[in-house]
Amino acid sequence: MISADLGVDVARKPWTAIVAGVAGLLVLTACGGGGGTGDGGGAITLGFAQVGAESGWRTANTKSIQDSAKAAGIELKFSDAQQKQENQITAIRSYIQQKVKVIAFSPVVESGWDTVLKEAKTANIPVILTDRAVDSQDKTLYKTFLGSDFVAEGKKAGQWLTKEFGSAPGDVNIVELQGTTGSAPANDRKKGFADVISAEPKFKVVASQTGEFTRAKGKEVMEAFLKSQPKIDVLYAHNDDMALGAIEAIEAAGKVPGKDIKIVSVDGVRDALQALADGKINHVVECNPLLGPQLMDLVKKVAAGEQVPPRIETAETEFDQAAAKAALPQRQY
């Protein structure tokens, strides 16, 4: 039975307006209920905890993530950990409190994540690892890992070296600039390289120390290597920024990078490819930082409750001098 008050409302409004109003309420209810979209009716909120801004690679990686989130209509909450694990853990806990839909991060180091990942799991917030892995035995703490095969990158560097110096008489003395101590790329690039060169006794790593993935530290450590090692044939750098810093140290010592000391590094940033084109670096193994588009696709899928592969690798290549010259005009980073 229609009340008197409702009868007054009906008299004041056309029936079409009432129908439209009811339809509008139904639409609002459907959108607000979340449904199967996994986005709460609005933009998916992604909390991303970045390692820092230690290199040109990382800067390109950050820009790719930010640009891709915007293009995908994903609301991005971004934090810079400044190379400190405690800062990343704090950021992840903040994202849990804010009830973001998905959390993604590139872990500073491999170990020490189980507690905070369990907190995210308890809060029913899926986690995606990007660029770097963790050593947790519980693989249910994250949905997938998107990134490079760092062991394969180290092997590629070692394979170039063994080919380049295959016919060299006598020992080949190598110095190694490692990445951040305890990080996945540092551990794996060291392992992959060692696995290859260990087959030939003449290849000797005479000094190995972290350069923290930065140009300044790479220069500093290379200066120390040059003072402590009477003969250096090869520099293996875990990333391009350290190699570029080392080039400054080599030149300051009166030596010719790329000739007196051969250099192989990992990443493929523009500055390194330019140095390769100029003959100051001899070989670069690519590690693609442009993970943003793939990451946003994964974010949408896990937010919707879809199954995704536990491991997704990025497509990468290698560069000699000719390839570097060809790539430079279109290089995005």
Side-chain angles (χ1 to χ4, degrees), residues 19-222:
V19 172
V22 172
L25 287 172
L26 291 173
V27 170
L28 288 172
T29 302
C31 290
T37 63
D39 61 12
I44 297 170
T45 304
L46 167 65
F48 188 88
Q50 182 60 284
V51 171
E54 76 281 3
S55 63
W57 190 100
R58 189 64 57 189
T59 300
N61 179 244
T62 291
K63 187 176 187 302
S64 176
I65 289 164
Q66 291 172 334
D67 290 350
S68 298
K70 185 176 180 180
I74 291 173
E75 181 184 342
L76 178 66
K77 295 181 182 294
F78 184 92
S79 65
D80 180 339
Q82 300 178 330
Q83 295 284 324
K84 295 180 180 178
Q85 183 180 30
E86 59 267 29
N87 291 348
Q88 281 195 312
I89 291 173
T90 297
I92 292 169
R93 286 187 169 137
S94 173
Y95 296 148
I96 293 170
Q97 291 173 353
Q98 294 175 62
K99 299 180 180 179
V100 300
K101 196 66 184 178
V102 181
I103 291 171
F105 73 111
S106 299
V108 174
V109 294
E110 285 189 294
S111 300
W113 300 102
D114 281 27
T115 299
V116 72
L117 290 177
K118 286 175 183 176
E119 292 171 14
K121 184 178 179 180
T122 299
N124 293 317
I125 300 175
V127 174
I128 298 172
L129 304 178
T130 71
D131 173 42
R132 300 180 178 186
V134 298
D135 63 5
S136 173
Q137 296 302 305
D138 185 355
K139 305 303 181 185
T140 69
L141 295 179
Y142 55 91
K143 293 295 184 182
T144 186
F145 166 43
L146 166 66
S148 303
D149 184 335
F150 299 134
V151 173
E153 291 171 352
K155 286 182 176 180
K156 289 175 183 176
Q159 287 160 357
W160 170 82
L161 186 146
T162 56
K163 182 178 179 181
E164 182 75 9
F165 289 88
S167 59
D171 292 342
V172 176
N173 290 345
I174 305 158
V175 294
E176 180 179 26
L177 283 170
Q178 299 180 41
T180 303
T181 302
S183 69
N187 293 342
D188 291 354
R189 287 172 186 165
K190 181 178 180 65
K191 181 183 185 305
F193 185 76
D195 286 348
V196 172
I197 68 168
S198 61
E200 178 56 68
K202 73 177 179 181
F203 296 118
K204 300 184 181 299
V205 177
V206 295
S208 182
Q209 186 176 327
T210 180
E212 299 173 359
F213 282 133
T214 69
R215 195 172 301 200
K217 192 68 175 179
K219 179 181 179 181
E220 177 186 322
V221 176
M222 190 66 199

